[in-house]
Amino acid sequence: MSELIRNSIRFVLFLAFEIYVLNRVPHLHRFISPSLYFLFILWLPFSVSPRWLLSIAFVTGLTLDYFTQSPGLHAAACVLIAYVRPFLISVLTPRDSSDFNYREPSPQSLLWAPYFIYVLILTLLYHGWLVLLEWMSFGSFGDFLIKLIASTAISLLLIFTVELLFPRSMRFRTNVGG
Amino acid sequence: MRNVILFIRRYFTFFTFLFLQVASLWFLYSFNKFHQAQFLQSANELTGQVNSRYKKVENFFALGDENRRVHTLNDSLINLLPQQFAQVDTARQLVRDTVPTDTLNRYRRYYFRPAAVVYNSTSGEKNYIQIDRGSLHGITENMSVLNSDGAAVGVVVNVSPRFAQVMSLLHVRQKVNVALKKSGDFGTMEWDGADPGLLLVKGLPKSVAVKVGDSVVTSRYSFNFPPGYPVGTVAAIISDPGTNFFLLKVRPAARFYNLQYVFVVENLQYSEQAQLDEQSRRRIEDPKRNPR
């Protein structure tokens, strides 16, 4: 399967799940609004250039925004994590190995501990930006913190459930014979 | 100048990020301020289409509840129809100790109760339908049963506290008084147990002009069924040379295969009518015991 088709399918599935499942299940609590779809951005291949990453993230966020009638909100958060992602990957992996040996970030390519940190930081950033933008219009700082931590925790739970449910087995790529 | 271009090229990613971030925030705040977002109109078209497709699927799962809702609403409305009432003859009125009539001097003739079908068969010769209402809900024997469209389905023959058994029209011992909608001529509807898609109407005189496609409705003379509710349409007319009657094959109006909700119709004068009928028969046919 080509990268484009694989990621297009993921795009549709993640957004459909977000719109028709996560946005529709009754809220656990008013502070908790888990989301999962931004895992799509976390899973994009290493080979995507930062500019493309930003554009894709923008489109992803905006698509969700138009479904939830809040244009710009999720797009802003997605663009933020897409911008941070390349730095984080270069910090968490030795430049010469994973970047080229595997297709995309996964527990297998980054190893579990760095991958966890990668997901944790980006989830925290995503929710942080999202809640901050909401907080600017209403709420207090205490609400902001609780919301941030609770949403991040539930999202992490969802993400690692997905990781365990759908392990992406990836070939180790060598530069011998492609 | 060259330095500026170099600078921009070096931080191009960062500028893209800034640009997109500002764009999103602009979308967000212009939406909150003016309640109109950029491209929201055209985006609404798209998301609306996707959403309506999804809704179609989702609606499918809510059909049961929706049917129930519509059915109970219909029930409340059907009970208000003027044909469920009859006019009291004021010329000679008995004085009773209750007030059975409303202010327009109408008294209720038929009362509709909603019920759900819990068991149904169409494959045998004696088909029964079980409904989830019983004597606790006021169901008694000999009440008639109509489906959601008002088409005749059967007659209650047995009642337990919470359930009732309905003898379907597809039952070889069922006999219902029916009439042609066009002319009002009546006959008896039966079933021979052969084809669940065809009922039989006997006793219609050959003098009646009947055509294929005519509607057959419940008759005014039926004790159980309220008059004028559809039973079926004439599918074939067999003229038996031996008798003076037509034999009509009638395609039933109710679809017995997918009954979900039904109305149980009570004729509030049933016992009085039936009693009178039986008394008069006894008196006429057995005059020795009941001398006139």
Side-chain angles (χ1 to χ4, degrees):
Chain A
M1 216 193 310
S2 83
E3 294 288 314
L4 184 67
I5 296 172
R6 185 203 319 280
N7 282 295
S8 308
I9 293 173
R10 261 184 211 165
F11 177 82
V12 173
L13 286 183
F14 270 124
L15 280 174
F17 185 75
E18 185 74 19
I19 294 161
Y20 293 118
V21 180
L22 286 184
N23 282 348
R24 276 170 190 254
V25 292
H27 273 287
L28 292 171
H29 189 265
R30 74 189 171 93
F31 286 140
I32 305 174
S33 51
S35 59
L36 185 64
Y37 77 98
F38 62 92
L39 195 56
F40 167 72
I41 297 164
L42 269 56
W43 278 5
L44 283 172
F46 288 121
S47 55
V48 178
S49 77
R51 279 165 222 165
W52 268 110
L53 210 55
L54 286 171
S55 324
I56 293 170
F58 184 67
V59 171
T60 314
L62 209 60
T63 312
L64 180 65
D65 280 334
Y66 279 127
F67 274 100
T68 56
Q69 302 284 310
S70 59
L73 184 65
H74 295 93
C78 282
V79 168
L80 179 72
I81 59 171
Y83 180 66
V84 176
R85 196 190 103 131
F87 298 112
L88 210 56
I89 287 177
S90 62
V91 168
L92 287 172
T93 59
R95 185 79 192 146
D96 51 336
S97 61
S98 309
D99 230 352
F100 303 102
N101 291 335
Y102 287 97
R103 203 173 54 221
E104 59 195 38
S106 76
Q108 198 185 354
S109 64
L110 292 178
L111 300 179
W112 271 103
Y115 183 72
F116 179 76
I117 294 169
Y118 167 74
V119 171
L120 174 70
I121 293 179
L122 288 184
T123 311
L124 213 54
L125 270 180
Y126 170 82
H127 280 296
W129 196 229
L130 206 64
V131 180
L132 184 73
L133 286 178
E134 281 182 341
W135 172 52
M136 304 260 240
S137 38
F138 47 84
S140 69
F141 186 68
D143 283 4
F144 167 73
L145 271 187
I146 298 171
K147 228 172 171 175
L148 171 60
I149 292 166
S151 299
T152 306
I154 300 293
S155 291
L156 279 179
L157 197 69
L158 275 176
I159 288 173
F160 283 98
T161 314
V162 169
E163 288 290 351
L164 293 175
L165 276 179
F166 306 101
R168 291 162 293 155
S169 59
M170 267 177 280
R171 263 180 313 131
F172 184 84
R173 278 191 192 165
T174 58
N175 42 12
V176 182
Chain B
M1 192 62 201
R2 191 169 154 269
N3 280 346
V4 173
I5 295 169
L6 269 181
F7 176 77
I8 290 176
R9 279 184 67 179
R10 187 151 172 229
Y11 292 103
F12 186 78
T13 311
F14 181 66
F15 285 125
T16 318
F17 165 68
L18 271 189
F19 171 73
L20 290 178
Q21 195 65 245
V22 168
S24 332
L25 294 185
W26 179 57
F27 279 6
L28 182 59
Y29 286 107
S30 64
F31 177 66
N32 286 348
K33 250 184 222 155
F34 308 114
H35 291 281
Q36 52 175 13
Q38 310 309 316
F39 320 120
L40 193 62
Q41 288 290 319
S42 47
N44 255 343
E45 279 294 306
L46 259 172
T47 56
Q49 277 192 8
V50 178
N51 277 334
S52 60
R53 274 181 197 207
Y54 177 80
K55 197 70 193 164
K56 266 189 197 162
V57 178
E58 204 186 44
N59 276 344
F60 186 76
F61 295 101
L63 276 185
D65 281 342
E66 187 61 16
N67 277 351
R68 187 156 42 243
R69 194 185 65 75
V70 172
H71 191 73
T72 45
L73 181 67
N74 275 345
D75 173 58
S76 62
L77 295 178
I78 279 178
N79 275 323
L80 298 179
L81 284 180
Q83 71 209 54
Q84 316 314 349
F85 294 88
Q87 201 76 30
V88 173
D89 183 6
T90 49
R92 189 177 290 190
Q93 197 173 359
L94 283 174
V95 177
R96 301 185 194 179
D97 56 354
T98 57
V99 186
T101 60
D102 65 10
T103 49
L104 293 175
N105 253 339
R106 298 178 308 170
Y107 63 90
R108 183 174 281 284
R109 186 101 205 274
Y110 296 103
Y111 190 77
F112 282 56
R113 290 182 178 84
V117 173
V118 289
Y119 177 77
N120 180 13
S121 80
T122 53
S123 52
E125 288 188 328
K126 297 175 179 174
N127 294 306
Y128 293 96
I129 298 161
Q130 205 167 54
I131 56 176
D132 70 343
R133 292 280 183 272
S135 57
L136 288 180
H137 312 101
I139 309 289
T140 55
E141 284 172 31
N142 292 316
M143 288 185 183
S144 59
V145 176
L146 308 180
N147 78 352
S148 295
D149 300 331
V153 165
V155 175
V156 176
V157 288
N158 198 5
V159 183
S160 73
R162 284 174 193 82
F163 294 95
Q165 198 90 359
V166 177
M167 186 198 266
S168 163
L169 290 189
L170 302 178
H171 191 293
V172 287
R173 289 180 57 191
Q174 180 70 273
K175 277 189 182 174
V176 178
N177 207 329
V178 296
L180 284 179
K181 190 180 183 185
K182 205 165 55 176
S183 60
D185 295 290
F186 69 94
T188 311
M189 208 213 60
E190 295 171 18
W191 187 54
D192 57 358
D195 181 0
L198 286 177
L199 303 166
L200 304 177
V201 172
K202 292 176 179 168
L204 194 73
K206 280 183 180 169
S207 57
V208 175
V210 57
K211 283 204 279 291
V212 171
D214 282 357
S215 294
V216 178
V217 297
T218 51
S219 136
R220 302 191 64 83
Y221 308 137
S222 168
F223 288 175
N224 320 98
F225 284 92
Y229 283 90
V231 173
T233 51
V234 176
I237 303 161
I238 298 163
S239 152
D240 184 1
T243 68
N244 206 17
F245 299 108
F246 280 129
L247 177 65
L248 302 184
K249 295 207 167 186
V250 172
R251 188 157 288 128
R255 293 168 64 194
F256 292 95
Y257 297 98
N258 61 355
L259 286 176
Q260 272 190 43
Y261 294 98
V262 292
F263 294 114
V264 183
V265 187
E266 178 179 6
N267 176 1
L268 298 171
Q269 277 81 45
Y270 181 86
S271 54
E272 192 180 329
Q273 281 183 292
Q275 202 183 348
L276 181 67
D277 187 57
E278 197 179 334
Q279 267 180 5
S280 49
R281 273 174 207 281
R282 211 188 291 149
R283 188 171 294 175
I284 306 296
E285 287 163 20
D286 197 359
K288 251 180 263 168
R289 213 192 302 158
N290 294 300
R292 255 189 283 187

